[in-house]
Amino acid sequence: MNPQFSQFMLPEALVRGLEKAGFETPTPVQAQVIPLAQDGLDLLVSAATGSGKTAAFLLPIMQRLLSVRAPRSATRALILVPTRELARQIYIHFMRLASLTRLTAAVIIGGERHDRQLAALRRNPEILVATPGRLLESIQSGAADLRDLEVLVLDEADRMLDLGFAEDVLAIIGHTNPARQSLLFSATLHHRGLAAITDQLLRDPRVLVINPVREGHPDIAHQVILSDDTEHKQAQLLWLLQNEPAEKVLVFTNTRERAIALGPLLVGQGQRSVVLHGELDQRERNRVMGLVHGGQVRILIATDVAARGLDIPGVQLVVNFELARSGDDYLHRTGRTGRAGEKGLAIALVGPKEWNLMESIERYLGLEFQARAIPGLKAAFSGPGKRKGPRKSASKSRAAPAADKPRVKERERDRKAIGKRRQPTTTGEAGLAPLRKKQ
Ligand code: AMP
């Protein structure tokens, strides 16, 4: 039988909050985490972006805070996150679910006015959602007090470590009530630095691997389009934006410079786009995300760091203008589409230098990218060691696509190792074929 929210015996105000949010049935992570968290256990959870993990920790926390009143307590629950955007999204999630309760929360993050956050802390909200640096400052200045803490959540712990927050996180744990319950969420449990945190944080934890990052997302189609160079990629991206019906599109680049360069280029072609990168100040980031959420722009061009933790409803297409540097990053990027059961499409534009990376991502994730070719914009490049001519001939072949020829070179080693490849078809939108058949 499918799990139901009713089996968690949540207070009426939360049941109605769920209804208002439109959540009808629990996601797998919610079905598994909520009852164990309600039992007060420490949890170590591997759950991918978009799995519904926010409500999985918010609901038991809120239930606990509602059922036991503690007006004299300082902060009762802390949710520690790697990025400001994620903090804000969790706060919004909280506001939706808690709208019919008396519970309050505050966001303590860098880049925003200190005096406002101090004022929010003085009102002594039950829940804090915070990034490590600013929270630690607030603890050290005496503005935040975690000695009564009942629940500590570390969300996206692997990202937290990637961003260099390990020391701050350990320091914060040291300031909390040792009797607290702790829940740690991470896309992967194989992160090198994780043990140092879990040792300090968790007592006899239950380990839940709900959505192993390598399992991917069943509702996302993964496609690859071969490209010759950046200029070629730009033409292909434009074609996709003009021809794919996606409500919202997320375009990933590997560098800030590339993201900044793409913005005006797309706007110049009539594509409503904005750029989000790590160097924007908080006001700019808020403005950019406001435009995306408000629907004034359809396309968000982002770097990995800037996009961490983003939850943008309606992203039906993710384009990797440059391929993600690792399989985990690839899944983080593509997990922005196909959220909460919707269908999503992820397209990677892969140049000659990215071929090997593409293969290793495929192997690592056990994914089968479908090869796709855009009519009139087919690459001269068609696999390692094979080029149909000098790079500048690519534009010629773009204008007048060559007749069908084998696109993907088969190498003896590859045939042995990973099975037979099939050539991509040239029939355009419908022209999909697996790059290779897995053994
Ligand atoms: P999260 O992984 O918590 O960021 O959630 C991903 C998306 O799924 C968010 O847009 C949530 O609003 C949505 N969501 C979470 N839980 C549910 C649910 N039980 N039913 C439908 N949508 C959900």
Side-chain angles (χ1 to χ4, degrees):
M1 203 179 79
N2 288 336
Q4 298 295 324
F5 279 116
S6 56
Q7 75 197 49
F8 304 136
M9 315 294 281
L10 294 166
E12 181 60 23
L14 293 183
V15 173
R16 290 187 30 221
L18 283 167
E19 280 164 16
K20 276 182 77 177
F23 296 2
E24 285 170 10
T25 50
T27 65
V29 69
Q30 291 160 1
Q32 293 193 51
V33 165
I34 293 173
L36 296 175
Q38 285 175 324
D39 282 349
L41 297 176
D42 279 7
L43 302 179
L44 175 59
V45 185
S46 162
T49 302
S51 56
K53 61 190 164 61
T54 314
F57 58 75
L58 279 179
L59 288 167
I61 289 177
M62 291 158 73
Q63 177 180 30
R64 176 189 190 121
L65 302 188
L66 285 170
S67 56
V68 183
R69 285 181 168 258
R72 270 196 262 277
S73 281
T75 302
R76 299 182 67 192
L78 167 64
I79 299 150
L80 212 48
V81 298
T83 65
R84 301 159 187 179
E85 265 79 25
L86 184 56
R88 266 195 230 97
Q89 277 163 24
I90 291 174
Y91 180 74
I92 292 167
H93 218 107
F94 164 79
M95 294 298 276
R96 274 202 294 177
L97 294 176
S99 61
L100 302 166
T101 74
R102 53 173 174 74
L103 295 173
T104 54
V107 176
I108 305 297
I109 52 180
E112 286 199 342
R113 280 179 50 183
H114 225 296
D115 53 345
R116 287 214 192 121
Q117 293 184 3
L118 287 177
L121 284 170
R122 272 197 293 276
R123 286 193 289 276
N124 194 23
E126 283 100 344
I127 301 174
L128 292 185
V129 188
T131 50
R134 178 60 69 89
L135 180 69
L136 195 56
E137 277 170 43
S138 309
I139 296 170
Q140 284 160 352
S141 72
D145 180 353
L146 304 179
R147 285 172 297 181
D148 295 330
L149 201 69
E150 294 169 43
V151 188
L152 172 54
V153 177
L154 239 67
D155 195 15
E156 302 207 354
D158 51 341
R159 292 285 168 196
M160 208 106 76
L161 294 167
D162 287 343
L163 293 175
F165 285 134
E167 252 176 57
D168 286 358
V169 170
L170 288 172
I172 290 168
I173 294 171
H175 286 282
T176 61
N177 170 13
R180 64 177 192 269
Q181 178 185 24
S182 306
L183 313 174
L184 185 147
F185 290 80
S186 184
T188 169
L189 298 184
H190 301 295
H191 198 291
R192 263 178 287 121
L194 213 52
I197 305 261
T198 53
D199 285 353
Q200 291 295 311
L201 181 74
L202 303 169
R203 257 178 328 204
D204 205 8
R206 281 290 181 86
V207 181
L208 300 175
V209 180
I210 289 149
N211 218 347
V213 70
R214 293 177 60 168
E215 213 171 72
H217 200 309
D219 298 317
I220 302 174
H222 297 269
Q223 298 178 357
V224 157
I225 297 177
L226 296 182
S227 309
D228 290 316
D229 50 31
T230 303
E231 189 200 337
H232 191 192
K233 285 189 176 186
Q234 287 167 354
Q236 292 173 322
L237 173 62
L238 193 61
W239 188 95
L240 290 171
L241 295 175
Q242 287 164 342
N243 290 279
E244 281 291 337
E247 184 188 329
K248 283 187 184 142
V249 183
L250 199 45
V251 178
F252 278 100
T253 63
N254 287 354
T255 64
R256 181 163 56 92
E257 289 71 26
R258 178 79 74 218
I260 291 170
L262 270 184
L265 201 118
L266 296 182
V267 172
Q269 297 292 326
Q271 297 294 325
R272 290 173 292 128
S273 323
V274 275
V275 179
L276 188 74
H277 60 77
E279 299 284 297
L280 295 183
D281 69 24
Q282 200 54 45
R283 190 173 306 173
E284 269 301 301
R285 293 170 79 85
N286 293 349
R287 190 186 69 82
V288 164
M289 291 317 296
L291 290 171
V292 176
H293 284 297
Q296 288 94 328
V297 300
R298 172 176 174 243
I299 302 145
L300 178 66
I301 305 158
T303 56
D304 293 279
V305 173
R308 268 171 199 163
L310 282 188
D311 177 23
I312 311 166
V315 175
Q316 288 154 348
L317 171 62
V318 171
V319 180
N320 283 285
F321 188 82
E322 292 157 310
L323 201 51
R325 293 186 181 101
S326 71
D328 286 346
D329 280 346
Y330 178 83
L331 274 197
H332 274 288
R333 287 181 176 187
T334 55
R336 314 288 152 175
T337 182
R339 305 198 82 159
E342 287 181 358
K343 293 260 177 264
L345 175 60
I347 302 177
L349 305 181
V350 171
K353 288 186 186 148
E354 294 169 303
W355 179 275
N356 290 343
L357 179 60
M358 176 192 78
E359 288 195 325
S360 67
I361 289 177
E362 261 195 320
R363 273 196 301 271
Y364 175 67
L365 297 174
L367 260 180
E368 197 168 311
F369 284 122
Q370 292 176 304
R372 173 171 175 178
I374 299 174
L377 288 172
K378 273 183 74 179
F381 161 67
S382 60
K386 181 157 182 177
R387 179 177 287 284
K388 277 175 38 182
R391 192 165 284 205
K392 58 180 173 326
S393 72
S395 54
K396 233 189 253 163
S397 83
R398 256 171 257 160
D404 239 356
K405 287 225 177 102
R407 292 277 112 198
V408 182
K409 183 171 173 162
E410 284 187 17
R411 287 182 297 179
E412 195 56 35
R413 179 175 62 78
D414 284 345
R415 260 207 308 275
K416 278 200 201 118
I418 46 182
K420 203 172 140 214
R421 291 220 181 97
R422 285 192 219 148
Q423 64 184 72
T425 58
T426 52
T427 44
E429 272 204 88
L432 302 176
L435 270 183
R436 73 176 65 95
K437 219 173 151 187
K438 297 264 171 212
Q439 279 179 331

